[in-house]
Amino acid sequence: MDGGPAGGSAVDGRIDRAGRGGAAVSGGAAGGAGAVRTVRGAVFDVLRRHGLTTVFANPGSTEVALLTDLPEDLRFVLALHEGSVVGMATGWAIARERPALALLHTTAGLGNAVGALATARVNRAPLVVLVGQQDRRHLALEPFLTGRLAGLAGDYPVRVEQPARAQDVPGAVGRACHEAVHGGGPALVIVPMDDWAAPFPDDEPPAAALAVHRVAAVDGADVARVAALLDEARAPALVVGAGADGAAAWAALTRLAERLHAPVWQESFGARAGFPQDHPLFAGHLPADRPRLRAALAGHDLVLTVGTAVWRQYPYTPGPLAPPGTRLVAVTADPAEAHRSPVDLAVLAPVAPFAARLAAHVTPRPGRPPAPGRPTAPAEPPPDGGPLRPAQVFAALGARLDAATVLVEETPSSRPALHALVPARAPLGFLSAAMGGLGFALPAATGVRMALPGRPVVAVVGDGSALYQVQALWSAARYGAGVLFVVLSNGRYAVMDRLAERHGGKPPWPDFAEVSVAALARGLGCPARRVDRHDELVAVLDEVVPTLAERAEPLLLDVAVLADPDFQP
């Protein structure tokens, strides 16, 4: 498990900072009083200082010099595809609220992981990513496995660094640690394979701050300005996003909503819940097209958005986002969100302390708050043992899951029903891919469970989504991540089918009903069961759900379902 700083091995009264028990790295010489410190050992020191002692990786030849004889205090976690490497690290980082370490193999590894890195960026997951490169001494000749790596992941990394010298690598890793945290995303360091054995003199400057502390100050004038706008409003409403997912932010926003008697909406396509979704003032999830968005917010003359930009949409429809005359205010800790939001006022500030001061500053409203009237979908069991609908699966889950459960979602065609029937009742109660790309849930749920071994984790995934990173099931089984994977199997890409129908045409892609996710899971060493009837589902959930907090073995339920008839993409 990742932990705090740890020392190396004692060798004749000194620390062997190469990080190996009594043996120098450089040249493989025997350790002793003259043990040589290497770049590899210096990087291990940096990683320990930042608590990065778990390495998520799928190794390649350019990383062997780093990984062979890994120190005992560093844990190696193997994933079978680089998308799973980054997905597991993303889940780990989000769950622990601290950076995670991923290792990728030159062009092939980084290229395979680009989609997952984009998801990590939009999910604000702090990742330190080491990318292997060919030997520095003949890079100019572009030998086999040379990578043109600096721009391969585009703008999604918050930092990409190619150290000019081998001795600059430890400082680059230290800067990546800081940038991953404060930039909110993956920071990449590209390391030629021969750099690891290069000497790192004791007098070499670290070239990176040992610690960076961001002051979470809140400007009282900004609080007063937003409070005045709320006090002037006749009927304010709140919209919350992933940036408000945390105990302090939930408590502050709950108090603010109750003092204002204001309904609280969750952003559309929200990757995390920004408010307790079982609270009476929770109004539901904003729709993702402008006409329905304006209808949802009708009657509100001011909308305060907290922890997200204003507002994510999917299909383009003309017209304004908000009803005419509605003032928009955004509070976010993310500069990009603040800058792109079409609002009357954007405040760039730490969300939880700002919301807490705002709640104390606004004038409480008399009377009783209006009930938002959030609809709930009916989900009665199918008659006579008929085929299951997704809502019936979610109703069975919602009735049994503990409030502390982390639910990781990747079922696009039935997400509205999931939101209605399995609300997030605790921070980190809901997690999904903010980017929208598939292949997130299986590795992310595995990483979350490895990071939080005492917290129940359930992944609800469509069968099409599961096939993007089904390899992650091997890692879940190998490392004892006791996730319950609930795969909704309809043998097709239901969202794409519906979109094709909306366009008035016939899709050219076939279904894949012959694919058995349960058989694939078992082939990867993950226990699996096929579920075809409601009574089977209830029986297995009653058996398994009470064990989720302590189980060390994953289980996949391959649940046969019909496509959701009410879904509107």
Side-chain angles (χ1 to χ4, degrees):
M1 295 299 173
D2 279 0
S9 303
V11 181
D12 292 343
R14 66 170 281 173
I15 296 296
D16 172 14
R17 285 173 290 184
R20 298 171 61 180
V25 174
S26 181
V36 178
R37 191 185 195 199
T38 63
V39 166
R40 179 180 187 258
V43 167
F44 288 159
D45 285 347
V46 173
L47 296 178
R48 292 180 178 113
R49 185 181 305 126
H50 292 276
L52 292 170
T53 55
T54 294
V55 185
F56 295 95
N58 182 270
S61 57
T62 54
E63 295 78 55
V64 169
L66 171 67
L67 295 173
T68 302
D69 292 334
L70 203 64
E72 292 183 359
D73 64 325
L74 301 185
R75 182 188 187 196
F76 184 91
V77 175
L78 176 65
L80 303 185
H81 185 276
E82 290 84 359
S84 292
V85 169
V86 173
M88 291 167 65
T90 298
W92 175 283
I94 289 172
R96 291 175 67 94
E97 299 182 314
R98 59 192 292 181
L101 176 64
L103 178 67
L104 301 176
H105 173 54
T106 191
T107 304
L110 180 57
N112 283 344
V114 167
L117 290 170
T119 294
R121 173 65 179 272
V122 183
N123 275 85
R124 305 172 183 167
L127 304 183
V128 175
V129 183
L130 303 181
V131 184
Q133 175 63 293
Q134 244 285 5
D135 193 302
R136 184 186 292 273
R137 293 167 293 187
H138 65 163
L139 277 178
L141 302 178
E142 293 201 9
F144 181 67
L145 288 179
T146 300
R148 299 182 182 180
L149 303 171
L152 187 56
D155 292 334
Y156 289 112
V158 297
R159 183 182 185 91
V160 177
E161 193 160 344
Q162 299 185 90
R165 306 178 304 151
Q167 289 74 22
D168 296 331
V169 171
V173 174
R175 290 189 292 275
C177 294
H178 299 319
E179 193 64 34
V181 172
H182 298 297
L188 275 57
V189 181
I190 299 165
V191 186
M193 57 194 295
D194 58 312
D195 282 8
W196 299 114
F200 191 83
D202 287 340
D203 58 356
E204 185 75 30
L210 297 181
V212 174
H213 295 276
R214 175 176 288 184
V215 178
V218 174
D219 190 316
D222 285 334
V223 172
R225 187 177 296 113
V226 176
L229 291 173
L230 289 168
D231 286 344
E232 293 167 8
R234 173 184 48 83
L238 305 182
V239 175
V240 297
D245 186 18
W250 277 35
L253 288 168
T254 298
R255 186 174 183 222
L256 177 62
E258 291 173 349
R259 286 169 71 88
L260 293 173
H261 293 173
V264 182
W265 295 87
Q266 175 73 37
E267 64 175 332
S268 56
F269 302 113
R272 297 171 67 175
F275 189 82
Q277 295 176 354
D278 57 345
H279 191 281
L281 286 174
F282 182 65
H285 290 71
L286 284 181
D289 65 87
R290 296 186 188 192
R292 289 190 298 150
L293 181 60
R294 292 192 295 270
L297 298 176
H300 297 289
D301 55 342
L302 184 141
V303 179
L304 172 64
T305 295
V306 182
T308 184
V310 178
W311 289 300
R312 302 185 79 189
Q313 301 279 281
Y314 174 59
Y316 173 76
T317 50
L321 290 171
T326 300
R327 303 185 72 178
L328 304 180
V329 178
V331 177
T332 174
D334 186 330
E337 289 181 345
H339 298 160
R340 70 174 179 265
S341 292
V343 296
D344 298 275
L345 173 64
V347 178
L348 191 58
V351 166
F354 189 95
R357 289 190 61 177
L358 185 60
H361 209 91
V362 296
T363 303
R365 302 196 173 209
R368 302 185 64 180
R374 180 166 62 99
T376 56
E380 295 296 324
D384 303 322
L388 286 160
R389 298 280 186 184
Q392 292 157 341
V393 178
F394 302 151
L397 277 171
R400 291 164 174 80
L401 293 184
D402 185 271
T405 302
V406 182
L407 191 144
V408 184
E409 176 270 338
E410 196 168 59
T411 174
S413 64
S414 50
R415 196 180 197 193
L418 178 66
H419 284 322
L421 293 164
V422 193
R425 294 173 285 163
L428 196 59
F430 178 83
L431 176 63
S432 71
M435 189 65 188
L438 302 181
F440 174 78
L442 298 189
T446 301
V448 169
R449 178 64 179 179
M450 291 176 69
L452 303 174
R455 189 163 176 183
V457 179
V458 175
V460 178
V461 192
D463 53 350
S465 301
L467 294 174
Y468 277 76
Q469 284 298 329
V470 70
Q471 303 95 329
L473 296 174
W474 179 89
S475 298
R478 174 64 178 78
Y479 296 103
V483 180
L484 175 62
F485 299 100
V486 180
V487 177
L488 305 181
S489 293
N490 55 28
R492 65 189 69 249
Y493 295 124
V495 170
M496 299 304 298
D497 292 347
R498 291 293 177 84
L499 287 171
E501 292 168 5
R502 175 177 287 184
H503 281 269
K506 181 179 179 181
W509 50 84
D511 63 27
F512 45 88
E514 68 275 14
V515 174
S516 170
V517 179
L520 291 171
R522 287 191 286 266
L524 289 163
C526 177
R529 303 186 197 179
R530 176 71 175 183
V531 175
D532 293 292
R533 300 193 317 270
H534 189 266
D535 59 339
E536 294 174 338
L537 175 68
V538 169
V540 71
L541 291 180
D542 284 342
E543 172 192 343
V544 173
V545 167
T547 72
L548 289 179
E550 64 270 5
R551 69 181 294 124
E553 182 181 67
L555 175 65
L556 183 139
L557 303 183
D558 187 3
V559 185
V561 296
L562 298 175
D564 191 335
D566 301 319
F567 173 68
Q568 297 183 26

